[in-house]
């Protein structure tokens, strides 16, 4: 792992359980990493959320997207970050796994989308 990746993981791993997807969307998910969802869903919960709000795959874990919504409401986020919660986020590009989202933000690589996909969701740099 390169130096930047090592530093990013050392910072974001303990705080957000970062999985180093390389396309960070924390700003739009109430500072909740969607890659910690067992299905790695980046646009909201699946249909399997249990009545108690826990995950259908890991019954002892609260649904990542319910946590994200609660945090979006509760944390002192920038208003535009709160609005970005409803963005349609593009599919995750697994080719970026393990790379630094910080580098990909600066280079714009994290905003490249698959052919046929509409413009990428507004990015943190555009808030
Ligand atoms: S870089 Fe990806 S895996 Fe890491 S916190 Fe951001 S969204 Fe989650």
């Amino acid at each position: 792992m390169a130096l930047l990746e090592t530093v990013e993981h050392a910072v974001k791993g303990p705080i957000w359980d970062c999985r180093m997807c390389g396309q960070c969307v924390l700003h739009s998910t109430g500072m909740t990493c969607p890659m910690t969802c067992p299905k790695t869903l980046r646009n909201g919960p699946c249909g399997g959320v249990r009545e108690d709000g826990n995950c259908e795959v890991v019954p002892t874990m609260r649904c990542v997207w319910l946590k994200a919504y609660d945090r979006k409401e509760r944390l002192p986020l920038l208003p535009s970050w709160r609005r970005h919660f409803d963005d349609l986020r593009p599919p995750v590009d697994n080719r970026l796994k393990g790379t630094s989202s910080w580098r990909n933000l600066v280079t714009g690589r994290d905003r490249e989308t698959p052919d046929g996909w509409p413009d990428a969701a507004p990015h943190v740099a555009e808030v």
Side-chain angles (χ1 to χ4, degrees), residues 8 12 16-26 33-35 42 101:
E8 182 172 340
K12 292 165 65 177
W16 293 293
D17 197 13
C18 172
R19 308 295 168 92
M20 294 297 288
C21 74
Q23 306 133 86
C24 198
V25 290
L26 279 175
C33 176
M35 305 312 285
R42 286 168 78 93
S101 71

Side-chain angles (χ1 to χ4, degrees), residues 32 57 72 78 100 127:
T32 307
V57 179
K72 185 262 291 184
L78 291 172
S100 170
V127 295

Side-chain angles (χ1 to χ4, degrees), residues 91-112:
V92 70
D93 184 343
N94 285 309
R95 291 171 296 185
L96 296 181
K97 187 167 178 55
T99 66
S100 170
S101 71
W102 297 339
R103 182 186 296 111
N104 297 330
L105 168 66
V106 171
T107 63
R109 176 63 182 85
D110 64 348
R111 292 184 294 288
E112 291 177 18

Side-chain angles (χ1 to χ4, degrees), residues 23-32 34 72 77-85 87 89 105 110 121-127:
Q23 306 133 86
C24 198
V25 290
L26 279 175
H27 73 286
S28 67
T29 57
M31 306 306 286
T32 307
K72 185 262 291 184
L77 302 174
L78 291 172
S80 53
W81 286 17
R82 204 165 272 126
R83 278 198 307 277
H84 286 322
F85 188 80
D87 289 348
R89 282 166 281 275
L105 168 66
D110 64 348
H123 199 277
V124 65
E126 300 167 7
V127 295

